[in-house]
C-alpha cells in the first residue's frame, strides 16, 4: 500500500491544511517518508458533520449488517497484516513478530464484537407488557432497548499501535454499538494508522455504508495544547470520547469536556502500577520463581504497557532474599531496548530521578544503552515506611522499571494496599496457608482495582466477557466501565423506552413476535 | 412521632451546629414547629467517615440480608404512612391523599429493589472458564461481578417529597446496589424528611447493620452557594452523587464534582418540557380529546412534575381549533393551587414573563390566586417560526403552564423536533394513517429523549424494568443511565474481575457450584 499521508474524512482524501510531519524511527532517530498531513478545526468539523449525518442510518442498520461490516474490517486487517506490522515496527521500535500478533488480535476483536452484535444481548431488551386490568390503574406496555449515544471521538494509544489504536478495541466497540467514529491518530505511528484507517474505509465501501461512519484526523501537538484534540472534545456533535494515555493528557481532555455547555462522557484509561502482593507462605515456597515471572512481565513492551507490574510488595521474611536476588539478576541481564518516542524516553528518565529524589534505592540496572532512545531497565527498593510517606513512589514511571517494597509485617502490607489510588489490576501471590491474610487483603483491593489476579500477572490481557480493564481514579475517569472486553460496548450506549407503541412502529428488536429471536427480559424474568 | 429536628448521622442525633430553620406551610405562609438543625462541613465529614467505615461490611452483605433490610424499610414506611403524608401535605401544599399514594409508591420501590437484589441479575455475573489447552496460550479463568461504587450522596427532590426524597428511588437503588448513603434533605419538607430518615434508621437497627449505612444531613441554602451540598460533593470519601432539581443547581454541583482531584460520577435529573406531537389524522379525529388529556396531565402537582407535558406541537389544520378551544377551556377553569415553595412560585412568574417577552401569546389563564404562593394556570401559543427563532420558548417553566406551537406543515413539525434539546420524554399522538410521518419523527425523538410514548402521556411514571427516566443533556447529565426504574441501580455499580481465583477466595456469587443459584453468563452464553 502506498501511504499518502492524507487525512481520511469520510470518503475524502484531505491533504494538509495545518502543516505536515514525518514519522520517526525511534531505533535510529531517523525520519521516515512520506509527509503526513495535519488538519485543524475545519477538518474536525467536516468529520463531525459527516459522522452526525451517518448516525441515523448506521445506528439503525440491522444487527446482521453491522456484524458483516465488522467482519469485513477484520478480513481487511488480516489482508494487510504483514505490511501493517512492518510499518508499525519501523515507527515504534517494537518487534515485528509481536506486532503481527497485535494485528491478529485487532482483527479478532472485530470478529468478537461482530458476534456480540449478532447475539444482541448488548441491546438489553426489556419488555414490561401492558396490564390493562391492574388496580388502581392499568399498566401500559413499556419496551426498552439500548442505542448508540452519538458520534464518538477516539484518541488512539501510543503503546499498542494496532490493537488500541485506529483499529483497536475502542473503535471496534463503538462501531459495534452503532456509533459513528472519528479517530485522532497518534503521531507516534502515522503510517500504521493510515493502513488501519484504509482497512476500515474499504470495509465501509464494501458494505455500502455511509461514508461518515468513520474518519481519521491528525494534528500537531498532543496532550493539552493539542488543537485538534480540543476541537474534537469541544465539537457539539461529538457525544462521547475515549482516551488511552497519560494522566495529564487524559485529564486535560476530561476536564475540558466537562466544561462544555453540554458535558459529555469521557472515558480515559490513564495510569496504573498494577501492584503485586506476595503473601508469606508463597514467598517462602517460591520467592525466586515469583520474582522471575514479575520481571519478565515488567519488561514486556519495554515496560510500556498499561498492565505492566511495576510495584511488588513483600514481607521481609523467608524467601525475600531469594526474591530480591532473582529480580536483581533478571534486571541486570536485561538489554536496553528502544522506547516508543523521544518524549516517553525523556519522561522515563525524569520519573526514575523523581523516585530516587525521595529515597528509592537503585538496587539493579540493566545493560547500558546503545541508541538515543533506549530504555535501560531499573529495579528500585524501599521499605514500607518510606513508601507510605512519599506519595511519589506510588506513581507510575512508564518504562522498564519496578519498585520492590520491603514491608515488615502483615499490617504494613495492608497499610500499603490501603494507601494505593485506583489501579487497573492487582495481583496476589498466595498459598493455601495464606488464605487468612488474602481474605483481609481482598476487600481492600476490590475497592481500588478493576481486576484482581491470583498467582499470575494481569498481562497479557484476555479479551472476553469477564474482562475488566478499568478501575477507580486515576486508573480511569469512570470506574463503572471497562475499555477492553465485550462489555466495553456499554460506554457508547444509552437506553430508550418505548411506551404504548403500535407493533409496526417499534424497532424490529422489540416487536411482539421477536422476529430476530433476541434475548429479552420480560417482566424482569 | 415527635419530630426532633436533629440531623441523623449514623446512630447519632446531632443538634444544630450552623443555625436552624422552620418548615413553611406554603398554603398559609405560616411557619411550622419544630426547629430543624443545620449542619456544615464537620457533619458531612462525620457522615462520610461512617459511610466509608460501613461500606465493606454492607456491600458484602448477603443478597438475602440486603433484601430483608429493604423490605424492613418498606414496612416501616407503611407504618408511618398517614403521619408522613399529613406532615408532607402541611409542608408542600400537595393533597394528602396524593401523598399517601406517594408514600405507598416509595414503599413499593423498596420492595421492588428487594426483589432485584434477591434475583441477583444486577451483579451481571460472567464467567469465562479456563482453557488450559488453548493455543497459542492458555486462557485463565476470569469471573466478573459488579459491586457498589462507594458512599453515595443523594440530593432529594422538592416536588415529590417522599418517592423522590429521603426514602425515594435514589436511596432505594443505591442501598440495593450495596452502597452506603448520605441524603441531603430538601429544606422544603424537613419534617417529612425526618420521618422517612427514622424509618430507614429503624430498619438498619432491626437488621443489625452498621450505623454508617445511612445518614441524613441538612444545611442552609440550596443550589450553588450551598455549603453543605458543596461539602458533600467535595468530600473525598463520596464516590457518586445524584441530584433531582433545577438545571442551575444540578450543573453547579456537577461541574464542582468534575473539578475534584478525582472526578466522580454525578447523575443530575434536571429539566424537560416533554413535548407532545399531534400528527394530522389524530388531530382531525380527536383534537379536543387530546387537548383535554394534555391539560389534565399538565396540571398534575400544580405543574411541578418532571414529566409534566409542557409543549404541544400540532399542524394547523383539521381539528386544531377544537384542540385549542378545549385547552383554553380547561386552563380557564383551572383553580390556582399552592405551589411548593416561595422560590418556585417566584421562578414560575419570572418564567412566564420571559416567555411573553419573546412573543408567547397568553391565550388563556386560570382562576385567580387567593393565597400568596398560588400558581395560576396559563396557556401560551406561538407559531412554528417564532418557536424556532426564540430559544427561550423551549425552556422549562416549572409550574402549571403550557405552550401550544402552531406549525404550518410536516416539515415545520420536524424542524421543531430537531430544534429540541434533550428531554426525559416525548409523546406522539397518531392514527394508523399517520404512520409515514411517525416513522420520520421517531429517529429524531430517539436521539433527543429517554422515553417515547404513543397516544398517551409520560406521566404517571411506571417503575419497572423497561422504565427510562433519563435522556440527553439537559434532561440529565448522563444519558447512559436512568434515575427511575429497576436499572437505575446501575448508576452505583462498577465491575470487578477475578482472575485465576481459588474457589474459596471467590465471592459466593461466583463460586463454581453457584451456591446462590444466580443467573450467570458463561462464555458469553
Amino acid at each position: 500500500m502506498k501511504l499518502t499521508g492524507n487525512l481520511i474524512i469520510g470518503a475524502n482524501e484531505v491533504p494538509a491544511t495545518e502543516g505536515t510531519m514525518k514519522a520517526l524511527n525511534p531505533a535510529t532517530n531517523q525520519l521516515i517518508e512520506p509527509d503526513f498531513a495535519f488538519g485543524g478545526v475545519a477538518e474536525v468539523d467536516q468529520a463531525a458533520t459527516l459522522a452526525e449525518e451517518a448516525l441515523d442510518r448506521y445506528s439503525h442498520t440491522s444487527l446482521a449488517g453491522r456484524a458483516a461490516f465488522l467482519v469485513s474490517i477484520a478480513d481487511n486487517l488480516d489482508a494487510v497484516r504483514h505490511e501493517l506490522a512492518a510499518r508499525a515496527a519501523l515507527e515504534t521500535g517494537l518487534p515485528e513478530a509481536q506486532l503481527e500478533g497485535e494485528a491478529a488480535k485487532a482483527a479478532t476483536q472485530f470478529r468478537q464484537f461482530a458476534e456480540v452484535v449478532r447475539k444482541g444481548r448488548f441491546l438489553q431488551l426489556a419488555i414490561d407488557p401492558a396490564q390493562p386490568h391492574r388496580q388502581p390503574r392499568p399498566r401500559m406496555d413499556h419496551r426498552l432497548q439500548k442505542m448508540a449515544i452519538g458520534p464518538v471521538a477516539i484518541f488512539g494509544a501510543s503503546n499498542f499501535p494496532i490493537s488500541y489504536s485506529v483499529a483497536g478495541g475502542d473503535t471496534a466497540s463503538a462501531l459495534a454499538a452503532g456509533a459513528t467514529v472519528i479517530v485522532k491518530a497518534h503521531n507516534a505511528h502515522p503510517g500504521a494508522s493510515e493502513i488501519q484507517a484504509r482497512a476500515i474505509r474499504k470495509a465501509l465501501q464494501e458494505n455500502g455504508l455511509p461514508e461518515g461512519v468513520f474518519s481519521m484526523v491528525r494534528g500537531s501537538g498532543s496532550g493539552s495544547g493539542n488543537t485538534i484534540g480540543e476541537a474534537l472534545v469541544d465539537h457539539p456533535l461529538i457525544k462521547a470520547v475515549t482516551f488511552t494515555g497519560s494522566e495529564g493528557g487524559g485529564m486535560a481532555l476530561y476536564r475540558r469536556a466537562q466544561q462544555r455547555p453540554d458535558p459529555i462522557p469521557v472515558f480515559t484509561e490513564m495510569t496504573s502500577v498494577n501492584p503485586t502482593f506476595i503473601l508469606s507462605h508463597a514467598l517462602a515456597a517460591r520467592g525466586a520463581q515469583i520474582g522471575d515471572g514479575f520481571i519478565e512481565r515488567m519488561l514486556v513492551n519495554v515496560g510500556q504497557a498499561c498492565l505492566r507490574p511495576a510495584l511488588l510488595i513483600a514481607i521481609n521474611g523467608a524467601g525475600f532474599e531469594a526474591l530480591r536476588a532473582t529480580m536483581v539478576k533478571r534486571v541486570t541481564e536485561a538489554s536496553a531496548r528502544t522506547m516508543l518516542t523521544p518524549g516517553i524516553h525523556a519522561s522515563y528518565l525524569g520519573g526514575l530521578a523523581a523516585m530516587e529524589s525521595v529515597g528509592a534505592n537503585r538496587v539493579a540496572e540493566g545493560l547500558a544503552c546503545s541508541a538515543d532512545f533506549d530504555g535501560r531497565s531499573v529495579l528500585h527498593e524501599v521499605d514500607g515506611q518510606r513508601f507510605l510517606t512519599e506519595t511519589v513512589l506510588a506513581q507510575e514511571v512508564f518504562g522498564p522499571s519496578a519498585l520492590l517494597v520491603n514491608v515488615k509485617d502483615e499490617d504494613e502490607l495492608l497499610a500499603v494496599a490501603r494507601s494505593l489510588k485506583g489501579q487497573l489490576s492487582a495481583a496476589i501471590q498466595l498459598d493455601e496457608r495464606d488464605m487468612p491474610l488474602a481474605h483481609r487483603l481482598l476487600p481492600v483491593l476490590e475497592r481500588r482495582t478493576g481486576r484482581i489476579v491470583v498467582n499470575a500477572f494481569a498481562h497479557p490481557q484476555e479479551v472476553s466477557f469477564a474482562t475488566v480493564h478499568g478501575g477507580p481514579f486515576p486508573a480511569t475517569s469512570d470506574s463503572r466501565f471497562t475499555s477492553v472486553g465485550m462489555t466495553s460496548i456499554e460506554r457508547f450506549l444509552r437506553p430508550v423506552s418505548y411506551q404504548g407503541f403500535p407493533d409496526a412502529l417499534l424497532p424490529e428488536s422489540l416487536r411482539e413476535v421477536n422476529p430476530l429471536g433476541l434475548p429479552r427480559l420480560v417482566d424482569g424474568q
Side-chain angles (χ1 to χ4, degrees), chain A:
Chain A
M1 184 184 301
K2 182 170 158 41
L3 298 176
T4 66
N6 290 335
L7 308 182
I8 293 179
I9 299 185
N12 302 315
E13 298 274 336
V14 178
T17 58
E18 310 259 340
T20 63
M21 64 168 287
K22 282 190 169 65
L24 177 77
N25 181 332
T28 62
N29 201 4
Q30 301 288 311
L31 295 175
I32 322 170
E33 292 300 324
D35 287 331
F36 287 93
F38 285 150
V41 173
E43 288 68 40
V44 164
D45 187 55
Q46 288 167 28
T49 302
L50 286 174
E52 171 65 23
E53 287 170 7
L55 184 76
D56 271 354
R57 199 177 131 210
Y58 181 65
S59 66
H60 288 85
T61 44
S62 70
L63 297 180
R66 201 186 300 169
F69 167 52
L70 299 177
V71 170
S72 292
I73 295 174
D75 292 344
N76 295 346
L77 287 171
D78 283 344
V80 296
R81 185 187 304 171
H82 306 307
E83 185 179 1
L84 174 55
R87 177 77 195 190
L90 271 186
E91 294 179 335
T92 62
L94 296 171
E96 194 169 328
Q98 177 183 321
L99 292 163
E100 293 250 351
E102 229 193 280
K105 176 176 173 180
T108 298
Q109 287 186 137
F110 279 94
R111 292 197 178 91
Q112 288 178 298
F113 277 109
E115 190 59 19
V116 165
V117 169
R118 272 188 220 104
K119 291 265 174 64
R121 196 174 284 106
F122 75 103
L123 296 170
Q124 295 187 19
L125 302 173
I127 300 179
D128 297 324
Q131 296 177 341
H133 304 298
R134 189 183 67 174
Q135 293 300 331
R137 59 181 175 84
R139 180 169 87 175
M140 288 181 71
D141 182 273
H142 286 63
R143 295 175 186 236
L144 180 149
Q145 76 167 350
K146 290 216 171 177
M147 59 176 287
I149 196 170
V152 175
I154 290 172
F155 289 72
S158 66
N159 56 338
F160 290 96
I162 308 172
S163 59
Y164 298 104
S165 182
V166 178
D170 286 338
T171 300
S173 54
L175 291 176
T180 53
V181 166
I182 305 173
V183 172
K184 181 199 162 292
H186 201 289
N187 292 350
H189 49 266
S193 296
E194 181 176 336
I195 296 171
Q196 295 170 67
R198 293 195 183 283
I200 297 172
R201 186 160 99 173
K202 183 158 175 276
L204 265 182
Q205 291 162 339
E206 289 163 348
N207 287 270
L209 290 168
E211 56 169 328
V213 170
F214 175 81
S215 292
M216 181 187 74
V217 296
R218 186 187 301 105
S220 58
S222 66
S224 60
N226 161 6
T227 308
I228 205 154
E230 292 178 352
L232 278 168
V233 165
D234 291 349
H235 201 288
L237 294 174
I238 296 293
K239 296 303 181 195
V241 175
T242 73
F243 170 91
T244 305
S246 70
E247 185 176 348
M251 288 311 293
L253 294 177
Y254 181 89
R255 294 201 197 276
R256 191 173 178 101
Q258 302 320 314
Q259 290 303 318
R260 287 168 53 126
D262 58 327
I264 54 174
V266 178
F267 187 90
T268 62
E269 191 265 87
M270 298 181 290
T271 183
S272 183
V273 293
N274 306 298
T276 291
F277 296 83
I278 314 184
L279 308 194
S280 300
H281 295 285
L283 180 63
R286 48 194 169 87
Q289 180 195 336
I290 294 168
D292 197 64
F294 183 93
I295 297 298
E296 182 184 322
R297 305 304 168 103
M298 181 274 274
L299 291 172
V300 167
N301 248 37
V302 202
Q304 301 160 121
C306 24
L307 291 175
R308 168 186 67 127
L311 183 66
L312 186 63
I313 301 100
I315 299 172
N316 196 342
F320 190 87
E321 292 305 326
L323 169 77
R324 182 203 274 135
T326 309
M327 293 174 77
V328 165
K329 178 168 185 294
R330 282 293 305 254
V331 166
T332 306
E333 291 169 359
S335 305
R337 285 183 294 150
T338 309
M339 296 190 75
L340 290 162
T341 70
I344 289 173
H345 180 257
S347 287
Y348 176 58
L349 298 181
L352 295 177
M355 301 271 282
E356 291 169 7
S357 74
V358 293
N361 298 313
R362 188 178 288 221
V363 293
E365 57 188 7
L367 300 175
C369 305
S370 60
D372 294 355
F373 309 126
D374 277 358
R376 183 179 199 171
S377 303
V378 170
L379 179 65
H380 287 130
E381 183 177 343
V382 294
D383 63 24
Q385 276 315 110
R386 171 72 59 171
F387 185 85
L388 290 169
T389 312
E390 299 289 352
T391 55
V392 167
L393 295 170
Q395 286 183 358
E396 184 181 16
V397 177
F398 198 65
S401 72
L403 175 63
L404 173 61
V405 183
N406 167 343
V407 297
K408 65 176 193 290
D409 55 22
E410 295 191 351
D411 285 344
E412 198 170 82
L413 180 142
L414 289 167
V416 166
R418 284 192 201 98
S419 78
L420 294 173
K421 292 185 177 180
Q423 305 290 334
L424 293 172
S425 75
I428 312 174
Q429 293 280 344
L430 57 83
D431 275 2
E432 188 60 39
R433 286 167 301 166
D434 291 312
M435 290 297 266
L437 179 57
H439 277 287
R440 289 173 70 199
L441 179 58
L442 184 58
V444 179
L445 297 183
E446 284 178 325
R447 288 292 302 283
R448 285 161 183 77
T449 72
R451 184 143 53 117
I452 307 165
V453 187
V454 169
N455 292 342
F457 298 94
H459 192 90
Q461 172 91 283
E462 193 65 52
V463 180
S464 61
F465 291 90
T467 299
V468 177
H469 192 70
F473 186 88
T476 79
S477 52
D478 193 341
S479 67
R480 294 174 300 176
F481 298 93
T482 171
S483 61
V484 178
M486 300 301 99
T487 59
S488 63
I489 193 174
E490 293 174 8
R491 293 174 294 169
F492 311 113
L493 293 166
R494 46 174 282 262
V496 178
S497 182
Y498 302 82
Q499 181 177 339
F501 265 52
D503 209 54
L505 194 59
L506 279 169
E508 212 179 352
S509 57
L510 288 172
R511 291 199 186 145
E512 190 59 23
V513 301
N514 197 6
L516 303 175
L518 298 172
R520 314 198 291 194
L521 198 68
V522 178
D523 250 340
Q525 307 293 338

